[in-house]
Each structure stands twice: as C-alpha cells, then as structure tokens.
Amino acid sequence: MARDSHSHRVIQAVAQICRPTRSKNLDRSRQQRGEELLDDYFVHNSAFLDTYFKRRFRMERHLFNKIMIAVCNHDSYFVQKKDACGVMGLFPKQKITVALRMLGYGASADQVDEIAMMGKSTILESLMRFCGVIESIYTA
C-alpha cells in the first residue's frame, strides 16, 4: 500500500512539472480603451466625424447601431456585465468592432488586439459569436 501511494505521489509530481504554465494576464486597460473607442466614434461630438466612421467601419453609424442592438438582443454575450470580481466587462461596441475589423479588413486577432486591447481568445470568441448571430438573425 505504501508503494502505491509513493507511485501516486511521483505521478502527481511529474504531472505538476509537465503541466504547461499559464502566462500572466496583461493589464490591457480594457475599460479605458472602451471609453476611448466610445469617445472617438460613438458619442455626440465624437473625435472623428461621420466620414471617418464610414471609412473605418465601412458602414454608416446608424447601421452599426442597428446591427449592435439586434446582436445584443439575440445573444447576451455582447451585453456589458460585471465579472466574478465585480469589474465591468467589455462594451458591446468593443466586441462588435473587433469582429467587424477582422471581417472588413482581414485583420488577425493580434492586429485587432492593438486597437481594442482585448485578449486573443476574447477576440476570436467575439468573432465566432458575431458570425453565428448575424447568420441566425439575417438568414431567416
């Protein structure tokens, strides 16, 4: 019996050593970048005029807002909510912006990360969910 517990401990120790370590979370200042995105494009008297919005998003602002409302009503993933620590999550406009930038410009997740300050996994999940929601809303 002592032999079994020793081998069990050895296996656990080896598994602990071989387990890939998770990289440290980066402080992306996501809330600040989300507010900057809103100030740049979405608030009244924004930093960029409608012509810039149309050029960068490849659509009119009212169309973006219509799509955003439809997407948020269809999938609660895009609605801003608090996480387990009580910290506010990403704005819906951040998640939709990264999906549109990837689709519109063929940008990679790393390129979009520099714009939106979101993690790669969040960017990819936003893209996949956005495509699924758009398909289910507009193919009916």
Side-chain angles (χ1 to χ4, degrees):
M1 180 127 185
R3 189 168 184 86
D4 287 339
S5 65
H6 175 70
S7 4
H8 184 43
R9 286 194 308 253
V10 169
I11 290 171
Q12 285 179 331
V14 169
Q16 197 72 8
I17 293 168
C18 296
R19 181 177 297 147
T21 57
R22 191 168 178 259
S23 60
K24 184 179 176 188
N25 288 339
L26 296 175
D27 180 16
R28 297 186 192 305
S29 303
R30 64 184 187 188
Q31 189 71 23
Q32 179 184 351
R33 182 58 196 128
E35 290 169 5
E36 289 171 0
L37 181 69
L38 293 177
D39 291 341
D40 288 347
Y41 296 105
F42 295 102
V43 296
H44 188 66
N45 295 331
S46 60
F48 294 103
L49 301 173
D50 288 340
T51 55
Y52 288 100
F53 186 93
K54 188 174 182 179
R55 188 180 329 151
R56 296 210 173 114
F57 287 87
R58 299 185 177 196
M59 67 179 72
E60 299 281 344
R61 190 178 315 218
H62 69 86
L63 179 58
F64 180 96
N65 287 328
K66 183 179 177 180
I67 291 170
M68 185 192 66
I69 290 167
V71 166
C72 289
N73 287 336
H74 193 273
D75 188 349
S76 65
Y77 171 78
F78 291 96
V79 177
Q80 185 183 29
K81 46 195 164 287
K82 291 182 179 180
D83 65 8
C85 298
V87 178
M88 290 303 290
L90 297 164
F91 291 105
K93 290 175 177 150
Q94 279 176 289
K95 294 177 183 178
I96 294 170
T97 296
V98 297
L100 289 173
R101 291 280 171 102
M102 290 183 78
L103 293 170
Y105 293 104
S108 69
D110 290 330
Q111 290 170 322
V112 178
D113 176 22
E114 294 174 359
I115 297 165
M117 303 306 266
M118 294 167 58
K120 184 178 178 180
S121 61
T122 306
I123 291 170
L124 294 174
E125 182 174 4
S126 296
L127 174 65
M128 296 302 293
R129 283 179 172 258
F130 180 78
C131 290
V133 168
I134 293 298
E135 183 181 2
S136 67
I137 291 174
Y138 294 106
T139 55

